[in-house]
Amino acid sequence: DGGITQSPKYLFRKEGQNVTLSCEQNLNHDAMYWYRQDPGQGLRLIYYSQIVNDFQKGDIAEGYSVSREKKESFPLTVTSAQKNPTAFYLCAASSRGQGNYEQYFGPGTRLTVT
Amino acid sequence: QKEVEQNSGPLSVPEGAIASLNCTYSDRGSQSFFWYRQYSGKSPELIMFIYSNGDKEDGRFTAQLNKASQYVSLLIRDSQPSDSATYLCAVPNQGGKLIFGQGTELSVKP
C-alpha cells in the first residue's frame, strides 16, 4: 500500500515547547515538501528537499527546522521561535526528473499550541 | 515572482449543472498545470493535470488550457453534492516547487 503517512493526526502542545511532526513515504520519490495551511488560506511552503541530506527553505521557514537523513523520511520540527504555530501541516512528495512535478500529499497533522 | 490567481468563491451550483472553475497565472513560460481537490479538513488530492493547449477530459472532469490568455479552467459536468470542496490550481516553479492559488470553494446544492 503505497503512500505518504503523517503522524499524529492531531497534536496539542503548550507554548514554548518544540514539537516534531513525522512524514514517511514509500513511493520512492526523491523530493519531499512541508506546507502550512491556515483556515481559509492557501498552502505556504515551509521547507523542501530534492534529495537525501539536502534541503532548502521555502517561503516561511522561520521557526521551523527539518532533516532528510533517509529518502523515506522528512520530519519537521516546529520550534518555540515560531510565533503562530497553530495550523494544518501537510507533507508532500514528488518524483523528480520527469518534468511533471505533480505532488502527492499525506493526510496532514493538525497542530494546536496553547 | 510567479503568481496564480483564483476566485475564492464560494461558487454555488445546483446538482446536475456544470461547475466552471478558473485560474490565471502570471508566467507565460509555464508548461504544466495541476488541479487539486481538498475536502474540508482533509489534504489536497490531485485530480487533473494538463500540459498542452486545449482540453483534457477525465470522466466528469475537463481541464482547459489557453496559454495565449494564460488561464486554465476546470469544468465539472453533472455536478454532485460530493463534488463540494475547495479546488486548488497549481503551477510548477523552479526547483520542483509548486505555486498554489488560494483555491475556489465549490458548493453543489441538491
Side-chain angles (χ1 to χ4, degrees):
Chain A
D1 188 22
I4 302 170
T5 57
Q6 292 185 244
S7 61
K9 187 174 181 179
Y10 298 96
L11 190 53
F12 299 88
R13 280 293 183 270
K14 294 290 187 185
E15 199 171 310
Q17 294 179 333
N18 290 356
V19 59
T20 297
L21 282 57
S22 167
C23 178
E24 303 280 331
Q25 57 107 354
N26 61 5
L27 301 170
N28 200 34
H29 284 353
D30 287 315
M32 297 186 74
Y33 309 80
W34 274 105
Y35 293 90
R36 168 184 174 139
Q37 188 174 39
D38 294 282
Q41 304 278 321
L43 302 176
R44 291 188 289 170
L45 182 64
I46 304 172
Y47 267 99
Y48 65 106
S49 169
Q50 295 179 306
I51 199 166
V52 174
N53 293 322
D54 189 42
F55 50 82
Q56 287 80 39
K57 293 181 179 180
D59 300 318
I60 56 164
E62 185 176 348
Y64 299 97
S65 65
V66 294
S67 63
R68 186 85 188 275
E69 297 176 1
K70 297 186 300 182
K71 188 176 186 178
E72 302 80 19
S73 179
F74 191 40
L76 173 74
T77 297
V78 184
T79 75
S80 57
Q82 168 50 232
K83 291 182 173 34
N84 298 296
T86 294
F88 187 37
Y89 290 88
L90 291 158
C91 177
S94 174
S95 178
R96 292 179 62 238
Q98 297 180 3
N100 296 340
Y101 299 119
E102 62 263 33
Q103 294 179 14
Y104 298 94
F105 286 85
T109 291
R110 200 166 295 277
L111 173 64
T112 301
V113 177
T114 58
Chain B
Q1 175 74 3
K2 291 184 181 180
E3 292 183 351
V4 178
E5 300 281 342
Q6 295 181 255
N7 289 328
S8 60
L11 173 66
S12 183
V13 300
E15 184 175 356
I18 295 175
S20 177
L21 304 158
N22 299 314
C23 172
T24 60
Y25 57 95
S26 62
D27 183 4
R28 188 171 289 277
S30 295
Q31 296 295 316
S32 52
F33 306 85
F34 305 97
W35 282 101
Y36 287 82
R37 176 178 62 198
Q38 186 176 23
Y39 291 115
S40 181
K42 303 295 186 182
S43 62
E45 172 193 10
L46 180 67
I47 56 172
M48 287 284 282
F49 54 88
I50 185 167
Y51 307 120
S52 305
N53 257 344
D55 296 0
K56 179 183 178 182
E57 190 173 315
D58 184 1
R60 295 186 296 111
F61 297 94
T62 299
Q64 298 178 321
L65 174 59
N66 185 321
K67 289 188 177 182
S69 301
Q70 294 178 239
Y71 79 80
V72 56
S73 301
L74 180 69
L75 303 179
I76 306 175
R77 291 184 302 281
D78 188 24
S79 294
Q80 301 297 309
S82 59
D83 295 324
S84 297
T86 295
Y87 290 81
L88 301 165
C89 172
V91 175
N93 199 1
Q94 59 184 358
K97 296 182 288 185
L98 287 179
I99 299 176
F100 287 86
Q102 292 293 96
T104 298
E105 183 184 349
L106 172 66
S107 177
V108 181
K109 304 293 187 185

